[in-house]
Amino acid sequence: MLPCCGFFLIADEKLENVCISGCLNGIDWSVIHDGENVRLILEDGSATVVSLSEYKKEVYKFADKVEAFYKSSEPRELPKDEFDRNGYIAFWNEWYRRRNE
């Protein structure tokens, strides 16, 4: 979930979804949706369960902070490389769709 260094964005054909691939040295955990609960399992096997509503609240709070950072930064130039440009576009398309679900 949190790569330690570089990553790249792989867009689907419709530029609606993106797969983000990073290095293996970051921090990773599993997120298992189970009805109205979410189980978070760390790499060492320790786990906790939170309500889906609390999980969404925290994820949205974090996502909103990330988006505010991007909006307060200098405008981005779209990458010239088509693969990179498509990944960037698909990332934000998926971001806004999921944030507004």
Side-chain angles (χ1 to χ4, degrees), residues 9 53 59-60 64-65:
L9 309 171
S53 61
V59 169
Y60 287 160
D64 291 345
K65 287 180 182 181

Side-chain angles (χ1 to χ4, degrees), residues 35-63:
E36 290 300 312
N37 292 308
V38 176
R39 198 164 20 121
L40 306 170
I41 306 169
L42 300 180
E43 291 177 302
D44 68 3
S46 60
T48 191
V49 176
V50 297
S51 70
L52 179 59
S53 61
E54 183 66 21
Y55 178 77
K56 288 171 85 172
K57 183 176 102 178
E58 291 302 319
V59 169
Y60 287 160
K61 188 165 81 173
F62 177 74

Side-chain angles (χ1 to χ4, degrees), residues 28-41:
D28 202 8
W29 62 92
S30 297
V31 178
I32 310 295
H33 291 259
D34 185 17
E36 290 300 312
N37 292 308
V38 176
R39 198 164 20 121
L40 306 170
I41 306 169

Side-chain angles (χ1 to χ4, degrees), residues 3 6 9 11 17-18 20 25 29 41-42 52 71-72 82 97:
L9 309 171
N17 298 289
V18 68
I20 301 173
N25 295 320
W29 62 92
I41 306 169
L42 300 180
L52 179 59
K71 286 183 175 180
S72 71
E82 182 180 15
R97 186 186 75 249

